[in-house]
Amino acid sequence: QVQLVESGGGLVQAGGSLRLACVASGFPFSIFHMGWFRQTPGKEREFVAVIPWSVSSGGRTTYADSVKGRFTISRDNFKNTAYLQMNNLRPEDMATYYCAANKWEATADQFTYSYWGQGTQVTVAS
């Protein structure tokens, strides 16, 4: 019943941009923190960004150091959708990107997230 469906991945040249979207259903999206993670085959999944459900939740929008200044996370609670705008992409950004929902906290710790999408592939050509 719970679904997180990512889209927007694809092939882009280094320096280019992509906008990922994550459409959620089957749970109260508006009170869940939403995060983005990525994983390359042979490597561990790593944190990218998180946005809290509300400023009053006590959480804050946070980015991995590797993407600060280049990526922007956002959400539209009326559309049950989280976004990741990725600018100035680098070859090292190439990975499968996953969105995830966290009922409890806006954190980089992947093990606290309740729901995960299937991922969307981002390929950066150099």
Side-chain angles (χ1 to χ4, degrees):
Q1 185 176 28
V2 171
Q3 285 192 309
L4 294 172
V5 181
E6 301 98 333
S7 63
L11 174 64
V12 64
Q13 293 290 318
S17 299
L18 286 173
R19 182 173 181 257
L20 307 183
C22 172
V23 179
S25 61
F27 68 95
F29 175 86
S30 63
I31 60 171
F32 275 65
H33 314 288
M34 294 299 299
W36 285 95
F37 296 78
R38 65 188 183 186
Q39 187 171 29
T40 300
K43 294 184 177 181
E44 296 181 354
R45 178 176 289 170
E46 65 178 358
F47 168 76
V48 176
V50 64
I51 184 170
W53 73 269
S54 172
V55 174
S56 63
S57 71
R60 63 176 182 173
T61 300
T62 305
Y63 298 91
D65 288 342
S66 59
V67 306
K68 285 181 179 177
R70 300 188 298 120
F71 291 11
T72 303
I73 189 171
S74 62
R75 65 190 297 162
D76 185 337
N77 288 347
F78 292 100
K79 296 181 178 179
N80 284 2
T81 303
Y83 303 93
L84 185 69
Q85 178 67 46
M86 305 185 295
N87 298 326
N88 192 24
L89 284 161
R90 304 166 179 170
E92 53 263 41
D93 296 318
M94 183 164 56
T96 300
Y97 283 73
Y98 301 88
C99 69
N102 191 322
K103 184 177 181 179
W104 309 112
E105 57 184 333
T107 177
D109 183 0
Q110 64 178 305
F111 297 107
T112 67
Y113 284 75
S114 300
Y115 310 121
W116 291 83
Q118 296 300 306
T120 185
Q121 178 67 43
V122 172
T123 302
V124 183
S126 61

